[in-house]
Every structure is written in C-alpha cells, then in structure tokens.
Amino acid sequence: MSKHTQDIQHIDAQHHLHPFTNTSALNAKGARIIEKAQGVYIWDSEGKKMLDGMAGLWCVNMGYGRKELADAAYKQMQTLPYYNTFFQTSHEQAALLAKEIASVTPHDLNHIFFANSGSEAIDTIMRLVRHYWAVKGKPYRNIIIARDNAYHGSTLAGASLGGMGGMHKQGAPLVPGIEHIRQPYWYGEGGDMSEEEFGLACAKALEDRILEVGPDNVACFIGEPIQGAGGVIVPPANYWGEIQKICDKYDILLAADEVICGFGRTGNWFGSDTFGIKPDIISMAKGLSSGYLPIAAVAVGSRITDALMAHDDDFHHGYTYSGHPVSAAVALENIRLMKQENIVDYVANDIGPYFQSELRKRLGDHPLVGNIVGTGLIAGIALVKNKAPKEFFGDDINIGLICRDHCFENGLIMRATGSRMVLSPPLIISHAEVDELLDKAVLCFDLTLKSIS
Ligand SMILES: *Cc1c(COP(=O)(O)O)cnc(C)c1O
C-alpha cells in the first residue's frame, strides 16, 4: 500500500462518515480510494484498474471522461454559475432542460420540477400528490401506497416510502400516511404460482389495500418500474398493466420512480415505456446528468398541472439549487449526446440484447445461479445454494458479499443485494467490454463457489 493511499485512508477514517456504511468496520481496514476514471473503467490509488459494472451508482450512463460534459460545466460556470428559479425568475438552462426532458418523457408528462437528488424528487412527489388532492377539495386523500423492498431514497420521506427494513429501524418515527404492499418478486416469493398468477396476485394486493384503507383516502401508488437497489426485481409482464387498471378504477394517482430506469437503462427513455404504463408523475435523477453533477427532476402530467394552475396559490416547495444552471447545462449536454449517439436505440437493439443473452449463456448454468432477470443494461442474478429444488442460502453465509469481494479483487465492480448480484454498466459499454465483464464475472462466480465448498 503506497504512502499516498495510506494518508488518504487515514484522513478519511478520522473525519469522513460514510453513507450506508459501518464506519468503524470500514476504518479498521481502510477505504478503497478511487482516483480516476475513463469510459467504463475506474482506477484506484494503487493503480488497480476495474471495469465498473455498476456505472457508479447506476448513474454514469454515458461513461466516464466525457469532455463535452466537462466543457459544458466550465462554460456555464463562467457566464452564470448560479441563479435561483424562485421569485419569478428563470434562466435559459433550466427552461431549455425542462423542454428537453419533456421531449423524452412518456405520455403527457410535460412540466418539469427540478431537484438535486432522487430523494428530493421523491419528497417533491410526496408533497405534490398530497397537495393535488387538497387543491381538489379532498385533503383527506393523503395515503400513499408503496411496496416492500422498494428504494425511494434516504431522506425521511424517501426512507419512509421505501420498503427497506433496515432503514425503517433508524431515524424513526417515519412519515405517517404510508402503506406498504408486497413486492412482485416472483423467483423469491412466487411459491407454486405461475409468473402470470403471481403478477395478478401482487397487483391484487394493491386493490385489497385500497379497499382496506378506503379508496377515498388514497392519494397515490408509487413504484420503481424495475426495483433497483432491492436487487433488480423485474415484475411479471402483466403486473404493471394490472396496477394501472387498479389505479384508474379507484381514481388514484400513479407515480413511477424512474431514478434508475430513466434515461435509457431499460432500452427506452423511461421504464414506464418499457412496461406500457402512463403514470401521472415520475421522478428521475441518476442518468439525467450521467452523474457528472447532482440534478434530479419530477415530470408532472396534465391531470396534476391543470389542478395546480387553476388554484390561486403558490406551491410552497422548492430547493435553493432547483434547476441549478451548471447542473442543467451538463444535463442538457448529456441528453444531446444521448440523442446524437442514439444511445437508447443502442441499448434497445444492440448492446442490451447482447448483454442479456451473453449473461444467460455464460452464467445461466453456473451451479450458484438460480435465476437471471433483466432487460436493456440492468440485470439481477439470484445466487442459490441449490437450483432444483430451489434452496436459498441461510443467514449463516453472506454469499453476496463473498462474491462481491472476489469481483473487486479481480477488477470488476458488481454489487450485492443480499444474495442477489446486480449489474448496471454504463450504456456506452462495447461488445468487447461486455465480454470482458462476463469473463470476469464467470471467474468470480467460480471463485465464490470454491470459497464456500
Ligand atoms: C438512488 C435512488 C433514489 C435516491 O436518489 P438519491 O440521488 O440517492 O437521493 C430514489 N429512487 C430510486 C429508485 C433510486 O434508485
């Protein structure tokens, strides 16, 4: 270990509280220091090169080292580094970005509210849908229904809406007025049901809960088109259509959390396109600027905007950096690059299908792999103790972390969520890089198997 690395680790250990980390355990071994990145690769401070199979945290969609994005930021900083969008002002970057986002969002989601993170966008959705019902004269319609094992960010509202048990245990009491229903995780929870039966059953759980709490008390249902942080849970094909029908039947707003699925990840601009739903409101963040600067947005459909605009009052909500001009300039350039390079089409018709079929070809028969799901450039792999009859690993062995550590050692960033391994590489990944990713993955799955036998 170089002195340079040790110095940074030491300072980090003394002063830096890490997110989602047991900081004392981390400090005992020292954080991995990441120093530079290019394309789909990152390098640590020891010069070790790793293929980033996660695009950072599902966000560096256009890859690292894009000079166009750096130039857009530099140029904007010199003309207008900051101005707010409160108090009857705007600027070209926020206005143009709102228009660009509206050009790619599904359905009638044509009005854009800016935030700085996915969590803030989720808070915005929560406040906005409740405000919508208040404006409609039904302030009692304030219950929001979400799902177990959902991830909607880490602010108080995001953690409350999400369905992660560990997060619910800390920082309570949670935000009231939230209900959770079962997740559509067929491989893990489908029992003897066919995928289709299970899709219906999970959608029916929404209807049951609506009837239980009273349809006239429910504001909104929210879900990720594909659950990301929960382990890449792809719902049965009939699930979202049924959810849409139930929301329509009871006049409940449908919100899609597109923070991961948005911006090409599933082979369409948004996951809502992939599943054929028409949400009333969506959140987006990660792919919006490819992670180069923090920016997020909520796209709002006409049902909500019509009500807001007919109502003679301010919406008392916003962030100092809503529509930040430098972040907006980078996001604009990011979308321009995505369009110029036909990246969504590349994911839908070229690299996405290649990645998905090679992944199944190379790992589908591996003794540890029970099931592979995914579409476009997102995938989840269930690691099991026994394939048939299906047997999951017990709590005595953290198979995901064992596998993840082998990946790190061998130059591949792959994330573990419990016993599920997840992949979400940059959208610009080439065929040769997919091959390299899978060569490494096969090696690491073999090493994982060896570690436990
Ligand atoms: C990451 C994520 C969030 C939170 O975004 P932050 O930028 O980390 O606040 C919300 N929803 C989903 C689906 C996410 O994946």
Side-chain angles (χ1 to χ4, degrees):
M1 190 82 66
S2 69
K3 178 162 184 318
H4 169 64
T5 299
Q6 283 174 350
D7 286 349
I8 300 172
Q9 285 178 334
H10 180 67
I11 297 167
D12 194 76
Q14 282 195 311
H15 297 290
H16 186 184
L17 280 175
H18 287 251
F20 286 102
T21 299
N22 176 338
T23 298
S24 58
L26 173 68
N27 291 349
K29 65 174 196 182
R32 182 176 287 103
I33 310 300
I34 305 302
E35 212 148 69
K36 63 173 188 177
Q38 183 64 41
V40 300
Y41 297 100
I42 60 173
W43 283 261
D44 73 10
S45 55
E46 296 292 289
K48 185 180 170 63
K49 180 183 180 185
M50 289 171 277
L51 198 164
D52 185 3
M54 286 305 297
L57 273 180
W58 327 76
C59 56
V60 188
N61 286 8
M62 294 303 283
Y64 298 97
R66 298 302 299 247
K67 187 165 180 302
E68 302 94 326
L69 299 180
D71 287 345
Y74 182 65
K75 188 166 156 241
Q76 185 57 39
M77 278 208 183
Q78 290 173 311
T79 39
L80 183 70
Y82 175 74
Y83 202 73
N84 71 76
T85 51
F86 292 24
F87 315 133
Q88 327 240 313
T89 60
S90 193
H91 46 71
E92 188 179 346
Q93 287 66 38
L96 288 181
L97 180 58
K99 177 174 177 233
E100 271 306 293
I101 293 174
S103 80
V104 295
T105 49
H107 186 40
D108 68 344
L109 301 168
N110 291 327
H111 283 83
I112 313 299
F113 190 97
F114 288 111
N116 309 289
S117 68
S119 303
E120 287 182 5
I122 290 296
D123 274 43
T124 298
I125 286 183
M126 195 159 176
R127 296 198 65 208
L128 192 49
V129 298
R130 286 175 166 176
H131 179 55
Y132 165 82
W133 284 111
V135 163
K136 299 294 272 183
K138 296 186 172 181
Y140 45 85
R141 261 193 109 130
N142 57 33
I143 292 176
I144 301 179
I145 302 178
R147 301 179 297 180
D148 298 332
N149 197 35
Y151 187 76
H152 296 300
S154 191
T155 53
L156 189 50
S160 304
L161 270 183
M164 304 267 170
M167 292 178 77
H168 285 183
K169 280 194 215 126
Q170 298 175 346
L174 302 175
V175 174
I178 295 172
E179 297 278 326
H180 288 90
I181 59 169
R182 70 185 305 181
Q183 61 170 335
Y185 179 22
W186 181 58
Y187 185 74
E189 300 173 4
D192 295 332
M193 277 184 253
S194 71
E195 191 162 0
E196 201 182 341
E197 287 166 347
F198 184 68
L200 287 179
C202 291
K204 173 112 186 340
L206 174 61
E207 182 159 31
D208 291 348
R209 188 62 59 87
I210 289 170
L211 293 173
E212 204 179 303
V213 300
D216 217 25
N217 296 318
V218 180
C220 170
F221 172 76
I222 185 165
E224 304 152 77
I226 292 173
Q227 287 155 259
V232 182
I233 311 294
V234 180
N238 59 348
Y239 175 79
W240 273 112
E242 291 299 317
I243 292 282
Q244 173 93 62
K245 271 190 231 160
I246 292 163
C247 288
D248 292 349
K249 180 170 170 190
Y250 296 100
D251 199 28
I252 286 162
L253 294 169
L254 175 58
D257 183 349
E258 294 269 10
V259 169
I260 285 177
C261 292
F263 292 90
R265 178 61 55 199
T266 68
N268 284 292
W269 277 95
F270 288 90
S272 297
D273 301 317
T274 299
F275 291 101
I277 50 168
K278 293 187 161 66
D280 297 291
I281 188 164
I282 63 176
S283 53
M284 65 196 78
K286 292 183 170 115
L288 174 53
S289 68
S290 285
Y292 279 60
L293 281 176
I295 185 166
V298 174
V300 188
S302 53
R303 178 172 171 188
I304 295 174
T305 52
D306 287 353
L308 277 189
M309 292 187 195
H311 175 69
D312 188 23
D313 191 7
D314 292 359
F315 177 38
H316 298 284
H317 176 71
Y319 309 105
T320 300
Y321 300 131
S322 284
H324 191 285
V326 183
S327 302
V330 170
L332 264 175
E333 181 63 11
N334 184 59
I335 297 175
R336 193 191 67 75
L337 282 177
M338 287 183 73
K339 287 183 170 174
Q340 178 182 294
E341 296 177 15
N342 286 319
I343 204 73
V344 178
D345 184 60
Y346 178 62
V347 175
N349 299 312
D350 186 344
I351 198 68
Y354 181 74
F355 171 71
Q356 296 293 341
S357 72
E358 287 297 305
L359 181 61
R360 284 158 181 79
K361 218 184 283 173
R362 304 283 307 273
L363 280 171
D365 292 332
H366 195 279
L368 277 176
V369 174
N371 175 253
I372 300 176
V373 294
T375 183
L377 283 178
I378 185 168
I381 304 162
L383 301 185
V384 292
K385 197 165 172 181
N386 199 21
K387 287 152 89 100
K390 179 167 57 186
E391 191 188 345
F392 290 99
F393 284 97
D395 290 338
D396 54 320
I397 185 163
N398 199 333
I399 192 75
L401 288 194
I402 294 172
C403 185
R404 187 197 67 182
D405 288 346
H406 281 302
C407 291
F408 268 132
E409 281 311 305
N410 289 282
L412 173 64
I413 308 287
M414 197 173 189
R415 181 165 157 191
T417 300
S419 60
R420 294 181 67 76
M421 300 306 295
V422 300
L423 282 166
S424 166
L427 306 186
I428 47 90
I429 193 168
S430 69
H431 290 242
E433 288 160 347
V434 165
D435 293 343
E436 182 191 338
L437 187 161
L438 294 174
D439 287 345
K440 292 194 154 92
V442 169
L443 169 71
C444 297
F445 278 48
D446 287 346
L447 290 170
T448 303
L449 189 59
K450 224 180 262 169
S451 298
I452 57 163
S453 41

